[in-house]
Amino acid sequence: MAQPERDERLARAFLELADTLADGFRLVDFLHVLTHHVTDLLGVDASGVVMLDGLGRMVDVTASSDTAHRLEELQTEAREGPCHDCCGTRERVGPVDLTVPGALVRWPRFTEAARAAGFATVAALPLRLREEVIGALNVMHTDTDGLTPSDLRLAQALADAATIGILHQRLAHDQAERVGQLHTALNSRIAIEQAKGALGAHLDIEPEDAFDRLRRHARAQRTSLTRLCEEVVQGSTDMALFVTPAEEPRRE
C-alpha cells in the first residue's frame, strides 16, 4: 500500500471512530467499523472485540469473521485466551506464538482451536482510557511474524480512539447506557447469527461466506449491518442481492 493511500485510510479510520454522537448509534455496528479498519490497515487475518459488562464479565460483541467469532466465544466460555488475560491485567498481551509448546500450556483450549483455524500468532489490546477498561481488541495472524511492534502500536491507537468514542457516547446519555448498549449488542448478535443462517441456507453457502457477504453488502450500501440482518431475517430484503459478493465502497 502506497504511503499517501495508507495516510488517507488512517485519517478515514480515526474520523469514523470519532463519530459516535450521531443519531442511531449502535455498538455492534461501531465495533464492526473498528475491526474492519484493523484488518484493513494492519493486514491481519482476523480481529474481534469483547466488552466487559457491569459485573466485569466478558461479552463477545463482534469480529471480522465467523471463525474469529467462535474464538471470541471460546474465550468467554473457557475463561482463557489473550482477551481474557488482557481484560484482567489491563495491559497488552502478546504477540504470542501459538506454535510453541508454552502457548498450549498457557491457553490449552484456545490455542488448540486457534491453531486448528490456521492462526499462528495472536495479541490482545485493551480498550482503555486511563484506569477504565471496557473491553479488549483481539488480532490474529496466520504467520508467526505477522504482528510487528508498529502494527500493534497502530492497533492500540485505533482501540484508544474507539474507547474514547464509546465513553463519550455513554456520557451523552444516562447511566443505564452501558447496560443498554450490551443488551442491544447481544440482540444484534442474534440477528446477525439468524441472518447468516438464513442466507447460508438460501444460497447453500458456508456461514463464513454468508457473514462476509452481509458485511460487504452493508459497507457497499453504507448501511447498518445490524439493520440489514434484521431485514434479511424479516424477509424484507431480496436474497438475490447476495448471490455475488458486493464490492467495497470506493475511498474518496
Side-chain angles (χ1 to χ4, degrees):
M1 185 189 306
Q3 190 61 42
E5 180 185 0
R6 181 178 175 82
D7 290 344
E8 180 183 345
R9 292 191 186 186
L10 276 169
R12 183 177 295 276
F14 283 107
L15 180 62
E16 290 187 10
L17 292 173
D19 185 20
T20 58
L21 297 181
D23 292 338
F25 174 83
R26 297 197 187 198
L27 182 63
V28 166
D29 293 326
F30 176 72
L31 292 176
H32 266 293
V33 171
L34 172 62
T35 57
H36 168 77
H37 286 305
V38 167
T39 53
D40 181 43
L41 290 166
L42 276 67
V44 297
D45 294 294
S47 63
V49 175
V50 298
M51 300 288 287
L52 295 175
D53 67 11
L55 298 176
R57 298 171 301 195
M58 290 198 317
V59 178
D60 168 38
V61 178
T62 190
S64 62
S65 69
D66 193 56
T67 301
H69 259 311
R70 292 195 294 270
L71 290 173
E72 298 292 341
E73 289 173 346
L74 175 61
Q75 292 188 71
T76 63
E77 294 168 1
R79 297 181 62 81
E80 67 171 55
C83 283
H84 177 268
D85 289 2
C86 180
C87 289
T89 64
R90 299 170 178 258
E91 299 291 341
R92 189 185 92 190
V93 172
V96 175
D97 185 346
L98 297 176
T99 66
V100 301
L104 196 58
V105 174
R106 183 177 185 179
W107 305 317
R109 289 183 60 187
F110 174 82
T111 299
E112 183 177 3
R115 291 291 294 125
F119 297 115
T121 185
V122 298
L125 306 104
L127 297 179
R128 179 185 64 203
L129 179 62
R130 291 185 285 276
E131 297 304 313
E132 183 169 7
V133 174
I134 62 174
L137 168 67
N138 203 175
V139 290
M140 295 166 265
H141 207 290
T142 55
D143 189 337
T144 56
D145 298 320
L147 299 176
T148 67
S150 61
D151 285 338
L152 295 181
R153 286 194 295 270
L154 175 55
Q156 185 64 70
L158 292 167
D160 291 345
T163 303
I164 292 170
I166 292 169
L167 293 177
H168 279 181
Q169 201 276 339
R170 287 178 179 173
L171 286 173
H173 296 76
D174 58 36
Q175 294 299 314
E177 184 70 13
R178 178 174 183 171
V179 175
Q181 280 183 349
L182 286 177
H183 178 72
T184 302
L186 291 176
N187 288 338
S188 296
R189 280 291 316 278
I190 292 171
I192 292 170
E193 292 299 317
Q194 290 175 333
K196 277 174 17 186
L199 184 61
H202 184 81
L203 298 181
D204 192 24
I205 57 178
E206 294 297 319
E208 183 87 26
D209 192 9
F211 178 75
D212 183 64
R213 295 189 190 200
L214 288 164
R215 181 188 62 79
R216 283 174 169 269
H217 188 80
R219 287 194 63 82
Q221 298 301 315
R222 302 186 186 278
T223 189
S224 161
L225 175 64
T226 301
R227 186 177 299 112
L228 174 64
C229 289
E230 290 170 347
E231 291 172 354
V232 169
V233 173
Q234 293 163 4
S236 58
T237 294
D238 186 358
M239 293 290 199
L241 294 173
F242 305 99
V243 171
T244 303
E247 295 291 332
E248 296 282 356
R250 290 184 178 180
R251 296 176 175 81
E252 298 176 355

